[in-house]
Structure formats: structure tokens, C-alpha cells
Amino acid sequence: MLLTRAAIGLLLILSALGHLSACQHQVRQPAPSDPTWAKLEAELLTALNQLRLNPRAYAQQIPAGRLPPTVLRDLQQRQSLSPLRPAAGLTQAARDWITTPPKGKTNEQAWASHLRRYGRWELLAARQQSVGYIRGAALLEALLADEGTREHRYHLLHPLYRRVGIACGPEPRHGSQCLIVYAGGFHPGRPAPPPPNPNPP
């Protein structure tokens, strides 16, 4: 379902992606300042753009049994998409969100308000969050393989996205987390306030 900026509150809903299962193998989790986080972010961006640039080739390099047959068939029928370019504002918004998460229950309105503090997006924007992975390729495969919702593939392979921000860091319960923020475009700085109501009550 494609939504515009006016309906961004309905699109910024993907905190549910945090329900992805944790990594099956016990591994050392890096400290908050560990450069492993930057490496994970770079790996994830590389894997994401490999997927978008050539979904068929990406599907062919996945070992047998790692992705459901339905996902593999879908990828083999996909066309090439534009790669995603990092946007500093989106990256900072993602990093601040996972570093100092808001207290209490959050929702799409809270996230939209948070993102607006860093600039103005074009067309549409969305986020994906996962926990428990310290390898970019494994995280991306988990998003693709999750047949519980097609929202994951929908955003990974959305043709209108052009910019991205990725932030990874420690997570108390699962050890690690990554937040991916997508947008059709992004302009840093505070957005202009909405125009006044021409017909006030």
C-alpha cells in the first residue's frame, strides 16, 4: 500500500519488525562504541543495494533452504531498482531513536514527529527494525524470509525509495538492533510549518 506524506502516520508502522527472531547462534555482542556497529551498517547497506540492483542474482547466491520457495520465485521475477543513497538526516534520526528511545509505548505518530526534527522527506517514508543480528546479510535474509508479513519485502524493494538511513547498536534483551529508515527523498533541517487554516472555526 503506497501512502503519501499526508498519510505518513499510516506508513510509519514497522516497529512490528522488531518481532524478528534473535540470531540462532550465541555470539559476542559488541560494546556500544565498538566499530562493529559501523561495519554492520555498511554490510547491511551493501546487501540491501545488491538486492535492489539485481534481485535475481541475489536470489541465486542464497544457499538452498535459507529462503522460502515463494520468496525465491518472487525475487527471480523482480526487475532492477535504483540503489539507495545514505542520507545523513535519516541516519541521525535512526541513531538517536535507538540510542535514546522514547519512554513508554511508541507509535507511528511519535516516530513521525521524531523524524520531522531532522528534515523533510519526499513522497513517502518508512522504517524497519530488527533485533538479534550482527551480520548484515543474515539480517537482510531474515527480513526477506519472514512470511508472516509481506511488508518487509514491500519496503526492501519499493521502487520509489531513493534515500536511506541505517543505524545499529546494542539492545538489552537481544544484544543488537538495527533500524532502517527509507524515504523517497530527504532534505535536512526543520521543515516549514503547516499553512494556517484559511477557515478557522
Side-chain angles (χ1 to χ4, degrees):
M1 178 172 60
L2 178 61
L3 301 177
T4 64
R5 287 180 60 206
I8 194 64
L10 294 179
L11 181 58
L12 293 171
I13 59 175
L14 296 185
S15 61
L17 297 186
H19 293 301
L20 290 175
S21 60
C23 185
Q24 294 180 352
H25 302 286
Q26 295 296 322
V27 294
R28 181 190 69 86
Q29 298 299 340
S33 60
D34 197 307
T36 298
W37 299 123
K39 180 182 178 183
L40 174 55
E41 294 162 0
E43 288 178 357
L44 184 53
L45 178 62
T46 296
L48 179 54
N49 279 332
Q50 288 176 343
L51 170 67
R52 290 176 62 88
L53 285 169
N54 197 333
R56 297 178 185 179
Y58 186 90
Q60 293 171 356
Q61 72 181 16
I62 300 298
R66 295 267 283 272
L67 290 178
T70 54
V71 175
L72 292 173
R73 286 194 297 269
D74 182 26
L75 295 180
Q76 290 165 357
Q77 295 171 1
R78 297 269 186 167
Q79 300 300 314
S80 177
L81 297 172
S82 299
L84 299 175
R85 294 187 297 119
L90 295 177
T91 300
Q92 193 61 51
R95 192 173 311 285
D96 289 349
W97 183 267
I98 68 171
T99 301
T100 310
K103 297 180 180 180
K105 187 176 182 180
T106 60
N107 53 30
E108 59 271 17
Q109 286 80 18
W111 166 253
S113 296
H114 173 81
L115 185 57
R116 288 191 189 99
R117 298 206 299 264
Y118 299 83
R120 177 174 56 87
W121 61 83
E122 293 181 6
L123 298 178
L124 70 170
R127 59 176 170 146
Q128 287 180 311
Q129 190 165 359
S130 65
V131 297
Y133 294 89
I134 61 169
R135 294 290 181 271
L139 192 159
L140 188 62
E141 287 179 24
L143 289 172
L144 286 169
D146 189 354
E147 287 291 87
T149 171
R150 294 176 64 108
E151 292 279 358
H152 306 293
R153 261 180 291 154
Y154 173 85
H155 291 290
L156 292 169
L157 295 166
H158 200 297
L160 294 183
Y161 292 145
R162 294 291 187 274
R163 307 305 299 271
V164 69
I166 299 175
C168 300
E171 198 275 337
R173 183 176 179 184
H174 300 283
S176 63
Q177 62 178 322
C178 286
L179 180 62
I180 309 172
V181 185
Y182 306 93
F186 195 77
H187 303 278
R190 293 189 63 85
N197 186 350
N199 299 306

